[in-house]
Structures are given as structure tokens and as C-alpha cells.
Amino acid sequence: ATSKHNFIVVMGYFNARIGKDSANTSPRTCGKYTFHETTSNNGERLLSLCESTQMRIASTFRPHKPTHQWTWQHPNGFKVQIDHILIMGKWINSLKDCRSYSRPDLNSDHRIVTAKVKISYRVTKSKTERINIDYTALSKDPELQMKYSLEVSNRFQELARQEANNFSAQKQYDD
């Protein structure tokens, strides 16, 4: 087992096609920038692996032209994206780019897939819903003023009760 703070990257030929449908079903694992429209069986397996290990498919989180997305070409000319780079979800902010390149001198029928990473220690901010309060209504509505006063009074009474309990527990501990 590794620490959840480790920077882990997995690269390889997964023979997995990830489609736009996966962006809807697995938005934390797959971004919306995919080469294919539908996900293959191996793609489903890769998504399942990523979900269980909290990894992200790097090539789907940044937009690119289709010529920079496909990784293998069938002899009949059919192009697919089946090579992927996976990155731990905690480090997705560190991913700057992920794309494929054509290099004819590799002696391989697959294209190079690269990822540019700049380690970012910034924590992703959680989206908290902010409550907007209309304070002018409080100054104009006597019934609302009563409810507010009662609520504040009850909270202070509860705090006083908790403080008294903590004081008696501390006193008992000190004795």
C-alpha cells in the first residue's frame, strides 16, 4: 500500500477506448475531451480501475485537436486512442498537458503519449454553498426579530450548558 500523498503516474497501452459517454457517467475519472464517442469494454474496465484507485485519465482533461489525441492507426487507416496516462486524482492540478505526437523514427506502430506536469501543492477548494441573508427584512419584520432573538438566546444557553459540563469534567479530572 502506498500513501495517498504519493505522486503516482501509470502509463501504458491499455487497449481501452474512452468515449464522451464516460464523461457523464464517471466525471471524476474522465474529462470531457475524449477522442471516441463511446467507451469500449476495456475502457469500462479502465474506468473501473481508475475509480477504485482514485486515478484520472490525463488525456481527457485538456482539449486538443483530434490529430493530437489518437495513439494508434490500423493499417486500413482507422485511428484510435488506446494508450493512456493515469494520474492520481489528488495531483490533477499538477497536470498541465497530455497529448500524443507523431514520431516516425520509433520503430513502433504506436505514437508517443506525453504529459507535462508541474507539481502543484495547491489544494482544490471544495464548492460550498453560500447562504445569502437579507438583513433588511430582519429590521422591518417584528415576527422575524422575535424568531431571531429566540434562536440566538437558545444557542447561547446551549453554549453555557456545554461550558458548565466541560468545567465540571475538568474539575473532576483535576481532583
Side-chain angles (χ1 to χ4, degrees):
T2 61
S3 170
K4 66 180 182 176
H5 302 293
N6 288 356
F7 181 79
I8 299 174
V9 176
V10 178
M11 300 175 267
Y13 164 54
F14 293 97
N15 195 18
R17 297 178 189 159
I18 306 298
K20 295 187 188 324
D21 56 338
S22 296
N24 296 327
T25 58
S26 303
R28 291 186 50 79
T29 302
C30 177
K32 61 183 179 179
Y33 305 106
T34 63
F35 184 73
H36 303 284
E37 292 297 320
T38 58
T39 303
S40 67
N41 288 338
N42 285 347
E44 294 292 338
R45 289 184 190 100
L46 181 61
L47 287 168
S48 177
L49 170 74
C50 289
E51 287 172 0
S52 66
T53 57
Q54 298 175 358
M55 297 194 89
R56 309 290 183 259
I57 302 172
S59 60
T60 64
F61 285 94
R62 300 283 183 265
H64 283 290
K65 295 186 246 178
T67 57
H68 295 157
Q69 289 180 317
W70 65 271
T71 60
W72 182 73
Q73 184 173 2
H74 191 274
N76 70 5
F78 183 68
K79 297 174 182 174
V80 291
Q81 182 184 32
I82 53 178
D83 302 295
H84 299 283
I85 296 177
L86 312 179
I87 186 171
M88 290 299 293
K90 176 184 175 164
W91 298 98
I92 197 69
N93 289 332
S94 299
L95 179 69
K96 300 305 173 198
D97 194 20
C98 183
R99 60 169 279 197
S100 62
Y101 291 90
S102 292
R103 300 282 185 225
D105 56 346
L106 290 178
N107 284 338
S108 174
D109 56 348
H110 290 260
R111 297 170 76 200
I112 294 175
V113 181
T114 63
K116 290 182 184 176
V117 177
K118 182 178 180 184
I119 298 297
S120 169
Y121 295 107
R122 179 176 60 96
V123 177
T124 304
K125 295 179 182 175
S126 61
K127 295 180 181 179
T128 57
E129 191 173 316
R130 186 179 177 132
I131 300 171
N132 292 327
I133 300 172
D134 183 12
Y135 292 103
T136 58
L138 182 63
S139 65
K140 296 176 184 174
D141 187 357
E143 187 178 328
L144 191 58
Q145 289 174 2
M146 269 310 263
K147 287 180 182 178
Y148 177 77
S149 296
L150 183 61
E151 183 69 29
V152 169
S153 175
N154 289 343
R155 288 193 183 188
F156 278 116
Q157 286 175 358
E158 178 64 23
L159 286 172
R161 186 185 64 75
Q162 287 178 0
E163 188 176 315
N165 287 346
N166 289 343
F167 179 73
S168 64
Q170 183 66 34
K171 184 177 178 190
Q172 189 178 34
Y173 180 76
D174 290 340
D175 291 339

